[in-house]
Amino acid sequence: METDIQSLQQKYMELAKTVDELNAVVARQDKEIMRLVSICSGLKSQLNAIDPGHTGGVQLGDERPPHY
């Protein structure tokens, strides 16, 4: 019975450590995502300053598709 309790305690400690490590990874990824969102927002602002009418799409004009 004592070894069962020790085994469970060991598994609990390992799981708690894993949860802490995963939490740190998620927090780091959240910071990175926020940084990248900020960069994208800045780039969009710069693009709009250069070309205010830019919609982000590619304008092909009257070009024929390659299958014609």
Side-chain angles (χ1 to χ4, degrees):
M1 181 73 170
E2 184 67 28
T3 58
D4 292 338
I5 293 174
Q6 288 175 344
S7 176
L8 287 173
Q9 287 174 334
Q10 180 66 29
K11 287 180 182 181
Y12 172 79
M13 294 302 292
E14 290 171 4
L15 287 173
K17 180 182 175 191
T18 301
V19 167
D20 289 341
E21 290 170 352
L22 289 173
N23 188 45
V25 169
V26 169
R28 198 168 52 245
Q29 288 176 340
D30 183 57
K31 287 180 183 177
E32 182 69 9
I33 288 170
M34 297 307 289
R35 186 182 74 81
L36 293 172
V37 165
S38 176
I39 289 170
C40 285
S41 178
L43 291 173
K44 285 169 77 175
S45 296
Q46 288 178 8
L47 180 60
N48 285 333
I50 294 169
D51 184 9
H54 185 72
T55 60
V58 177
Q59 296 179 353
L60 297 177
D62 291 332
E63 293 180 25
R64 289 182 141 199
H67 62 277
Y68 276 102

Coordinates of all heavy atoms in Angstrom, one line a residue:
M1 N 0.8 -1.2 0.0 CA 0.0 0.0 0.0 C 0.9 1.3 0.0 O 0.6 2.2 -0.7 CB -0.9 0.0 1.2 CG -1.8 1.1 1.3 SD -3.1 1.0 0.1 CE -4.2 2.2 0.6
E2 N 1.9 1.2 0.8 CA 2.8 2.4 0.9 C 3.5 2.7 -0.5 O 3.6 3.8 -0.9 CB 3.9 2.1 1.9 CG 4.8 3.3 2.2 CD 4.1 4.5 2.8 OE1 3.1 4.3 3.5 OE2 4.6 5.6 2.6
T3 N 3.9 1.6 -1.2 CA 4.5 1.8 -2.5 C 3.5 2.4 -3.5 O 3.9 3.2 -4.4 CB 5.1 0.5 -3.1 OG1 4.1 -0.5 -3.2 CG2 6.2 0.0 -2.2
D4 N 2.2 2.0 -3.4 CA 1.2 2.5 -4.3 C 1.1 4.1 -4.1 O 1.0 4.8 -5.0 CB -0.1 1.9 -4.1 CG -0.2 0.4 -4.5 OD1 0.7 0.0 -5.3 OD2 -1.0 -0.3 -4.0
I5 N 1.1 4.5 -2.8 CA 1.0 5.9 -2.5 C 2.2 6.6 -3.0 O 2.1 7.7 -3.6 CB 0.8 6.1 -1.0 CG1 -0.6 5.6 -0.6 CG2 0.9 7.6 -0.6 CD1 -0.9 5.6 0.9
Q6 N 3.4 6.1 -2.8 CA 4.6 6.7 -3.3 C 4.6 6.8 -4.8 O 5.0 7.8 -5.4 CB 5.8 5.9 -2.8 CG 6.1 6.1 -1.3 CD 7.2 5.2 -0.8 OE1 7.6 4.3 -1.5 NE2 7.7 5.5 0.4
S7 N 4.1 5.8 -5.5 CA 4.0 5.8 -6.9 C 3.1 6.9 -7.4 O 3.4 7.6 -8.4 CB 3.6 4.4 -7.4 OG 3.4 4.4 -8.8
L8 N 1.9 7.0 -6.7 CA 1.0 8.0 -7.1 C 1.6 9.4 -6.8 O 1.4 10.4 -7.6 CB -0.3 7.9 -6.3 CG -1.2 6.7 -6.8 CD1 -2.4 6.5 -5.8 CD2 -1.7 6.9 -8.2
Q9 N 2.3 9.6 -5.7 CA 2.9 10.9 -5.4 C 3.9 11.2 -6.5 O 4.0 12.4 -6.9 CB 3.5 10.8 -4.0 CG 2.5 10.9 -2.9 CD 3.2 10.7 -1.6 OE1 4.3 10.1 -1.4 NE2 2.5 11.2 -0.5
Q10 N 4.7 10.2 -6.9 CA 5.7 10.5 -7.9 C 5.1 10.9 -9.3 O 5.5 11.8 -9.9 CB 6.6 9.2 -8.1 CG 7.7 9.3 -9.2 CD 8.7 10.3 -8.8 OE1 9.0 10.5 -7.6 NE2 9.3 10.9 -9.8
K11 N 4.0 10.2 -9.6 CA 3.3 10.5 -10.9 C 2.7 11.9 -10.8 O 2.8 12.7 -11.8 CB 2.3 9.5 -11.2 CG 2.8 8.2 -11.7 CD 1.7 7.2 -12.0 CE 2.4 5.8 -12.4 NZ 1.4 4.8 -12.7
Y12 N 2.2 12.2 -9.6 CA 1.6 13.6 -9.4 C 2.6 14.7 -9.6 O 2.4 15.7 -10.3 CB 0.9 13.7 -8.1 CG 0.5 15.1 -7.8 CD1 -0.7 15.6 -8.3 CD2 1.3 15.9 -7.0 CE1 -1.1 16.9 -8.1 CE2 0.9 17.2 -6.7 CZ -0.3 17.7 -7.3 OH -0.7 19.0 -7.0
M13 N 3.8 14.4 -9.0 CA 4.9 15.4 -9.1 C 5.3 15.6 -10.6 O 5.6 16.7 -11.0 CB 6.1 15.0 -8.2 CG 5.7 15.0 -6.7 SD 5.2 16.7 -6.1 CE 6.7 17.6 -6.3
E14 N 5.4 14.5 -11.3 CA 5.8 14.5 -12.7 C 4.8 15.3 -13.5 O 5.1 16.1 -14.4 CB 6.1 13.1 -13.2 CG 7.3 12.4 -12.7 CD 7.4 11.0 -13.1 OE1 6.5 10.5 -13.8 OE2 8.3 10.3 -12.6
L15 N 3.5 15.0 -13.2 CA 2.5 15.7 -14.0 C 2.4 17.2 -13.6 O 2.2 18.1 -14.5 CB 1.1 15.1 -13.7 CG 0.8 13.7 -14.3 CD1 -0.5 13.1 -13.8 CD2 0.8 13.8 -15.8
A16 N 2.6 17.5 -12.4 CA 2.7 18.9 -12.0 C 3.8 19.7 -12.6 O 3.7 20.8 -13.1 CB 2.8 19.1 -10.4
K17 N 5.0 19.0 -12.7 CA 6.1 19.6 -13.4 C 5.8 19.8 -14.9 O 6.1 20.9 -15.5 CB 7.4 18.7 -13.3 CG 8.6 19.3 -13.9 CD 9.8 18.3 -13.8 CE 11.0 18.9 -14.6 NZ 12.0 17.9 -14.7
T18 N 5.2 18.8 -15.5 CA 4.8 18.9 -16.9 C 3.9 20.1 -17.2 O 4.0 20.8 -18.1 CB 4.2 17.6 -17.5 OG1 5.2 16.6 -17.3 CG2 3.8 17.7 -18.9
V19 N 2.9 20.2 -16.3 CA 1.9 21.3 -16.4 C 2.6 22.6 -16.3 O 2.3 23.6 -17.1 CB 0.8 21.1 -15.4 CG1 -0.1 22.4 -15.3 CG2 -0.1 19.9 -15.7
D20 N 3.5 22.8 -15.4 CA 4.3 24.0 -15.2 C 5.1 24.3 -16.5 O 5.1 25.5 -16.9 CB 5.2 24.0 -14.0 CG 4.4 24.0 -12.7 OD1 3.2 24.4 -12.7 OD2 5.0 23.6 -11.6
E21 N 5.7 23.3 -17.0 CA 6.5 23.5 -18.2 C 5.7 23.9 -19.4 O 6.0 24.8 -20.2 CB 7.3 22.2 -18.6 CG 8.4 21.9 -17.6 CD 9.1 20.6 -17.8 OE1 8.5 19.8 -18.6 OE2 10.1 20.3 -17.1
L22 N 4.5 23.3 -19.6 CA 3.6 23.6 -20.6 C 3.0 25.0 -20.5 O 2.8 25.7 -21.4 CB 2.5 22.6 -20.7 CG 2.9 21.2 -21.2 CD1 1.7 20.2 -21.1 CD2 3.4 21.3 -22.7
N23 N 2.7 25.4 -19.2 CA 2.3 26.7 -19.0 C 3.3 27.8 -19.4 O 2.9 28.8 -20.0 CB 1.9 26.9 -17.5 CG 1.2 28.2 -17.2 OD1 0.3 28.6 -17.9 ND2 1.6 28.8 -16.2
A24 N 4.5 27.5 -19.1 CA 5.6 28.4 -19.5 C 5.7 28.5 -21.0 O 5.9 29.6 -21.6 CB 6.9 28.0 -18.9
V25 N 5.5 27.4 -21.7 CA 5.6 27.4 -23.2 C 4.4 28.2 -23.7 O 4.6 29.1 -24.6 CB 5.5 26.0 -23.7 CG1 5.3 26.0 -25.2 CG2 6.8 25.2 -23.4
V26 N 3.2 28.0 -23.2 CA 2.0 28.7 -23.7 C 2.2 30.2 -23.4 O 1.9 31.1 -24.3 CB 0.8 28.2 -23.0 CG1 -0.4 29.1 -23.2 CG2 0.5 26.8 -23.5
A27 N 2.7 30.6 -22.2 CA 2.9 32.0 -21.9 C 4.0 32.6 -22.9 O 3.8 33.8 -23.4 CB 3.4 32.2 -20.5
R28 N 5.0 31.9 -23.2 CA 6.0 32.4 -24.1 C 5.4 32.5 -25.6 O 5.7 33.5 -26.3 CB 7.2 31.4 -24.1 CG 8.5 32.0 -24.7 CD 9.7 31.1 -24.4 NE 9.5 29.7 -24.8 CZ 9.5 28.7 -24.0 NH1 9.7 28.9 -22.7 NH2 9.4 27.5 -24.4
Q29 N 4.6 31.6 -26.0 CA 4.0 31.6 -27.3 C 3.0 32.8 -27.4 O 2.9 33.4 -28.4 CB 3.3 30.3 -27.6 CG 4.2 29.2 -27.9 CD 3.5 27.8 -28.1 OE1 2.4 27.7 -27.7 NE2 4.2 26.9 -28.8
D30 N 2.3 33.0 -26.3 CA 1.3 34.2 -26.3 C 2.1 35.5 -26.5 O 1.6 36.3 -27.2 CB 0.6 34.2 -24.9 CG -0.5 35.3 -24.9 OD1 -1.3 35.3 -25.8 OD2 -0.4 36.1 -24.0
K31 N 3.2 35.6 -25.8 CA 4.0 36.9 -26.0 C 4.5 37.0 -27.4 O 4.5 38.1 -28.0 CB 5.2 36.9 -25.0 CG 4.8 37.1 -23.6 CD 6.1 37.1 -22.7 CE 5.7 37.3 -21.2 NZ 6.9 37.3 -20.4
E32 N 4.9 35.9 -28.0 CA 5.4 35.9 -29.4 C 4.3 36.2 -30.3 O 4.5 37.0 -31.3 CB 6.1 34.5 -29.7 CG 6.6 34.5 -31.1 CD 7.9 35.3 -31.3 OE1 8.4 35.9 -30.3 OE2 8.3 35.4 -32.5
I33 N 3.1 35.7 -30.1 CA 2.0 35.9 -31.0 C 1.6 37.4 -30.9 O 1.3 38.1 -31.9 CB 0.8 35.0 -30.6 CG1 1.0 33.6 -31.0 CG2 -0.5 35.6 -31.2 CD1 0.0 32.6 -30.5
M34 N 1.6 38.0 -29.7 CA 1.3 39.4 -29.5 C 2.3 40.2 -30.2 O 2.0 41.3 -30.8 CB 1.2 39.7 -28.0 CG 0.0 39.0 -27.3 SD -1.6 39.2 -28.1 CE -1.9 40.9 -27.8
R35 N 3.6 39.9 -30.2 CA 4.6 40.6 -30.8 C 4.4 40.6 -32.4 O 4.5 41.6 -33.0 CB 6.0 40.0 -30.5 CG 7.2 40.8 -31.0 CD 8.5 40.2 -30.6 NE 8.8 39.0 -31.4 CZ 9.2 39.0 -32.7 NH1 9.5 40.1 -33.3 NH2 9.5 37.9 -33.3
L36 N 4.1 39.4 -32.9 CA 3.9 39.2 -34.3 C 2.6 40.0 -34.8 O 2.6 40.6 -35.9 CB 3.8 37.8 -34.7 CG 5.1 37.0 -34.5 CD1 4.8 35.5 -34.7 CD2 6.2 37.5 -35.5
V37 N 1.6 40.0 -34.0 CA 0.4 40.7 -34.3 C 0.7 42.2 -34.4 O 0.3 42.9 -35.3 CB -0.8 40.5 -33.3 CG1 -1.9 41.5 -33.4 CG2 -1.3 39.1 -33.5
S38 N 1.5 42.7 -33.4 CA 1.9 44.1 -33.4 C 2.7 44.4 -34.7 O 2.5 45.5 -35.3 CB 2.7 44.4 -32.2 OG 3.2 45.7 -32.2
I39 N 3.6 43.6 -35.1 CA 4.4 43.8 -36.3 C 3.5 43.8 -37.5 O 3.7 44.7 -38.4 CB 5.5 42.7 -36.4 CG1 6.6 42.9 -35.4 CG2 6.1 42.7 -37.8 CD1 7.6 41.7 -35.3
C40 N 2.6 42.9 -37.6 CA 1.7 42.8 -38.8 C 0.8 44.1 -38.8 O 0.6 44.7 -39.9 CB 0.8 41.6 -38.7 SG 1.6 40.1 -39.1
S41 N 0.4 44.6 -37.7 CA -0.4 45.8 -37.6 C 0.4 47.0 -38.1 O -0.1 47.8 -38.9 CB -0.9 46.0 -36.2 OG -1.6 47.2 -36.1
G42 N 1.7 47.1 -37.7 CA 2.5 48.1 -38.1 C 2.8 48.1 -39.6 O 2.8 49.1 -40.3
L43 N 3.0 46.9 -40.1 CA 3.2 46.7 -41.6 C 2.0 47.1 -42.4 O 2.1 47.7 -43.4 CB 3.6 45.3 -41.9 CG 5.0 44.9 -41.4 CD1 5.2 43.4 -41.6 CD2 6.1 45.7 -42.1
K44 N 0.8 46.8 -41.9 CA -0.4 47.2 -42.5 C -0.6 48.7 -42.5 O -1.0 49.3 -43.5 CB -1.6 46.5 -41.9 CG -1.8 45.0 -42.2 CD -2.8 44.4 -41.3 CE -4.2 44.7 -41.7 NZ -5.2 43.9 -40.9
S45 N -0.2 49.3 -41.4 CA -0.3 50.8 -41.4 C 0.7 51.4 -42.4 O 0.4 52.4 -43.1 CB 0.1 51.2 -40.0 OG -0.9 50.8 -39.0
Q46 N 1.9 50.8 -42.5 CA 2.9 51.3 -43.4 C 2.4 51.2 -44.8 O 2.5 52.1 -45.7 CB 4.2 50.6 -43.2 CG 5.0 51.0 -42.0 CD 6.3 50.3 -41.8 OE1 6.7 49.5 -42.7 NE2 6.9 50.4 -40.7
L47 N 1.8 50.0 -45.1 CA 1.3 49.8 -46.5 C 0.1 50.7 -46.8 O 0.1 51.3 -47.9 CB 0.8 48.3 -46.6 CG 0.2 47.9 -47.9 CD1 1.2 48.1 -49.0 CD2 -0.3 46.5 -47.9
N48 N -0.7 51.0 -45.9 CA -1.8 51.9 -46.1 C -1.3 53.3 -46.3 O -1.9 54.1 -47.0 CB -2.9 51.9 -44.9 CG -3.7 50.6 -45.0 OD1 -4.0 50.1 -46.1 ND2 -4.2 50.2 -43.9
A49 N -0.2 53.7 -45.6 CA 0.4 55.0 -45.8 C 1.0 55.2 -47.2 O 0.9 56.2 -47.8 CB 1.4 55.3 -44.7
I50 N 1.5 54.1 -47.7 CA 2.1 54.1 -49.0 C 1.0 54.1 -50.1 O 1.1 54.9 -51.1 CB 3.1 52.9 -49.2 CG1 4.3 53.1 -48.3 CG2 3.5 52.8 -50.7 CD1 5.1 51.8 -48.2
D51 N 0.0 53.2 -50.0 CA -1.0 53.1 -51.0 C -2.4 52.9 -50.2 O -2.8 51.8 -49.9 CB -0.7 51.8 -51.8 CG -1.7 51.6 -52.9 OD1 -2.6 52.5 -53.2 OD2 -1.7 50.5 -53.5
P52 N -3.0 54.1 -49.9 CA -4.3 54.1 -49.2 C -5.4 53.2 -49.8 O -6.2 52.7 -49.1 CB -4.7 55.5 -49.1 CG -3.4 56.3 -49.4 CD -2.6 55.4 -50.3
G53 N -5.4 53.1 -51.1 CA -6.5 52.3 -51.7 C -6.2 50.8 -51.8 O -7.0 50.1 -52.4
H54 N -5.1 50.4 -51.3 CA -4.7 49.0 -51.4 C -5.6 48.1 -50.6 O -5.8 48.3 -49.4 CB -3.2 48.8 -50.9 CG -2.7 47.4 -51.1 ND1 -2.4 46.9 -52.4 CD2 -2.5 46.4 -50.2 CE1 -2.0 45.7 -52.2 NE2 -2.0 45.4 -50.9
T55 N -6.2 47.1 -51.2 CA -7.1 46.2 -50.5 C -6.5 44.9 -50.1 O -7.1 44.1 -49.4 CB -8.3 45.8 -51.5 OG1 -7.8 45.2 -52.6 CG2 -9.1 47.1 -51.9
G56 N -5.2 44.7 -50.5 CA -4.6 43.5 -50.1 C -4.7 42.3 -51.1 O -4.0 41.3 -51.0
G57 N -5.6 42.5 -52.1 CA -5.7 41.5 -53.1 C -4.8 41.7 -54.3 O -4.3 42.8 -54.5
V58 N -4.7 40.7 -55.1 CA -3.9 40.9 -56.3 C -4.8 41.3 -57.5 O -5.9 40.7 -57.7 CB -3.2 39.5 -56.7 CG1 -2.5 39.7 -58.0 CG2 -2.3 39.1 -55.6
Q59 N -4.4 42.4 -58.2 CA -5.2 42.9 -59.3 C -4.6 42.4 -60.6 O -3.5 42.7 -60.9 CB -5.3 44.4 -59.2 CG -6.0 44.9 -58.0 CD -6.1 46.4 -58.0 OE1 -5.5 47.1 -58.8 NE2 -6.8 47.0 -57.0
L60 N -5.4 41.6 -61.3 CA -4.9 41.0 -62.5 C -5.3 41.8 -63.8 O -4.7 41.6 -64.9 CB -5.4 39.5 -62.7 CG -4.9 38.6 -61.6 CD1 -5.5 37.2 -61.9 CD2 -3.4 38.5 -61.6
G61 N -6.3 42.7 -63.6 CA -6.7 43.4 -64.8 C -7.4 42.6 -65.8 O -8.3 41.7 -65.4
D62 N -7.1 42.7 -67.0 CA -7.7 42.0 -68.1 C -6.9 40.8 -68.6 O -7.1 40.3 -69.7 CB -8.0 42.9 -69.3 CG -9.1 43.9 -69.0 OD1 -9.9 43.6 -68.2 OD2 -9.0 45.0 -69.6
E63 N -6.1 40.3 -67.7 CA -5.2 39.2 -68.1 C -6.1 37.9 -68.2 O -7.0 37.7 -67.5 CB -4.1 38.9 -67.1 CG -3.1 40.0 -67.0 CD -2.0 39.7 -66.0 OE1 -1.8 38.5 -65.6 OE2 -1.4 40.7 -65.5
R64 N -5.8 37.1 -69.3 CA -6.5 35.9 -69.4 C -5.9 34.8 -68.5 O -4.7 34.7 -68.3 CB -6.3 35.4 -70.9 CG -7.1 36.2 -71.8 CD -7.0 35.7 -73.2 NE -8.2 35.8 -73.9 CZ -8.6 35.2 -75.0 NH1 -7.8 34.3 -75.5 NH2 -9.7 35.4 -75.5
P65 N -6.7 33.9 -68.0 CA -6.2 32.8 -67.2 C -5.4 31.9 -68.0 O -5.5 31.8 -69.2 CB -7.5 32.1 -66.7 CG -8.6 33.1 -66.9 CD -8.2 34.0 -68.0
P66 N -4.4 31.2 -67.4 CA -3.5 30.3 -68.2 C -4.2 29.2 -69.0 O -3.7 28.6 -69.9 CB -2.6 29.8 -67.2 CG -3.2 30.0 -65.8 CD -4.1 31.1 -66.0
H67 N -5.4 28.8 -68.6 CA -6.1 27.7 -69.3 C -6.8 28.1 -70.6 O -7.3 27.3 -71.3 CB -7.1 27.0 -68.3 CG -8.2 27.9 -67.9 ND1 -8.1 28.7 -66.8 CD2 -9.5 28.0 -68.3 CE1 -9.2 29.4 -66.6 NE2 -10.1 28.9 -67.5
Y68 N -6.7 29.4 -71.0 CA -7.3 29.8 -72.2 C -6.4 29.7 -73.4 O -5.3 29.9 -73.4 CB -7.8 31.2 -72.2 CG -9.2 31.3 -71.6 CD1 -9.3 31.7 -70.2 CD2 -10.3 31.1 -72.3 CE1 -10.6 31.8 -69.7 CE2 -11.6 31.2 -71.7 CZ -11.7 31.6 -70.4 OH -13.0 31.7 -69.9

